[in-house]
Amino acid sequence: MIEAEAQARAGVPTDRARLGQRRARLLRQNVKGYAFISPWIIGLLVFSAYPVLASFYFSFTKYTVLKPPVWIGVANYANMVTQDPVYWKSVSNTLYYGLISVPLGLAFSLFLALVLNQAVVGIGVYRTVYYLPAIMPPVAATLLWMLLLDPGNGLVNSGLRSLGIGRPPGWFSEAAWAKPALIIMSLWGSGGTMLIFLAGLKDIPKTYYEAAEIDGASAWYRLLNITLPLLTPVIFFNLIMGIIGSFGVFTSAYIAGGSSSGGGYGPGGTAGGPLDSMLMYMLLLYRNAFRYFEMGYASAMAVTMFVAILSLTLVLLKTSGRWVYYEAAVPS
């Protein structure tokens, strides 16, 4: 205390004064940092946090946009699972699409990445060519595939007829082939997933392959015991992103379904394909929100989908320790 008073009389900053100056400097730095990220924080609060919280509230109300919301408790959820005749149809369509398109898309993307990971002349051109479809606008990609899969004059059915198949599939015009057509179409955008797999393959140390080759391991053995185990974190990431994407499939089903159902996309259209075979969950949600203006009901559907995706992701995270290999986690 006496020393601090002596320093103060001599004009030397005390420890408390230096601590205050340091805090003031840190505060100025923090203010500048928050100022720089404020656009992102505002965007997160306005365009993400508020809509999520608002949807949760509206899901317990009767809300038609034109009138103030009226609290009705869990009636929207009860009607959804017991009264809506097409709700479970949309759920089954989405599950069908996800259960096939996600593993098929992962396998196809991994195959492309393995092929494009070879050291050949012009490999950069091949990688670019296979990635380009991923940046094609979804609407344009859907229209392109509707031409390719046209039952009468489409390139795919023309090829099948040349192979001797007299009655090729009707694709989007037949209920039995509508969802397989959507799944085939989903492979068109595998370039993004392929690129992530390719980055994961580049990250695997070559010394593992060199040691395996010295021991006489075959290419198939190296794939199963080196490549795939070390690629499991990438597979895990792509699996979660694929599941989320499969729940949110909308554009392709909306355009192809609206065209094939003959009802168009307007208020009188169905946009669900023949026999609602392409009525996906997001399509039904959109129909309730922006065609029937049942915002409360649509919010209940959105909250249910959010809970389903969150639960599935948590289950995958919980079980990832059994099959996802992290090299840094191995004890030395």
Side-chain angles (χ1 to χ4, degrees), residues 308-323:
I309 293 177
L310 179 62
S311 303
L312 199 53
T313 303
L314 290 177
V315 170
L316 288 174
L317 285 172
K318 189 70 175 178
T319 58
S320 63
R322 300 178 182 176
W323 63 277

Side-chain angles (χ1 to χ4, degrees), residues 261-285:
S261 62
Y265 312 104
T270 57
L275 301 177
D276 283 334
S277 55
M278 287 184 280
L279 182 62
M280 299 298 173
Y281 195 91
M282 281 297 295
L283 200 56
L284 182 61
L285 192 155

Side-chain angles (χ1 to χ4, degrees), residues 29-44:
Q29 293 175 350
N30 290 338
V31 168
K32 290 180 181 177
Y34 285 124
F36 276 112
I37 65 172
S38 59
W40 181 85
I41 293 178
I42 294 173
L44 175 68

Side-chain angles (χ1 to χ4, degrees), residues 136-147 172 185 251-253 255-256:
M136 190 174 183
V139 175
T142 304
L143 294 175
L144 170 66
W145 276 95
M146 288 175 64
L147 292 175
F172 296 120
M185 192 195 307
T251 305
S252 57
I255 296 176

Side-chain angles (χ1 to χ4, degrees), residues 193-246:
T193 307
M194 177 269 294
L195 206 61
I196 298 174
F197 274 130
L198 195 58
L201 290 173
K202 293 295 182 186
D203 201 36
I204 298 177
K206 292 184 179 179
T207 53
Y208 294 161
Y209 295 107
E210 293 169 353
E213 289 180 3
I214 292 174
D215 291 339
S218 64
W220 182 250
Y221 184 90
R222 295 197 298 272
L223 173 66
L224 293 182
N225 294 280
I226 297 177
T227 304
L228 291 183
L230 292 178
L231 209 58
T232 48
V234 182
I235 296 174
F236 179 58
F237 172 79
N238 284 331
L239 174 63
I240 291 180
M241 298 306 293
I243 290 173
I244 295 173
S246 69

Side-chain angles (χ1 to χ4, degrees), residues 146-158 161 168-171 173:
M146 288 175 64
L147 292 175
L148 292 174
L149 298 176
D150 182 80
N153 302 315
L155 187 63
V156 174
N157 276 7
S158 297
R161 290 192 189 93
W171 302 115
S173 61

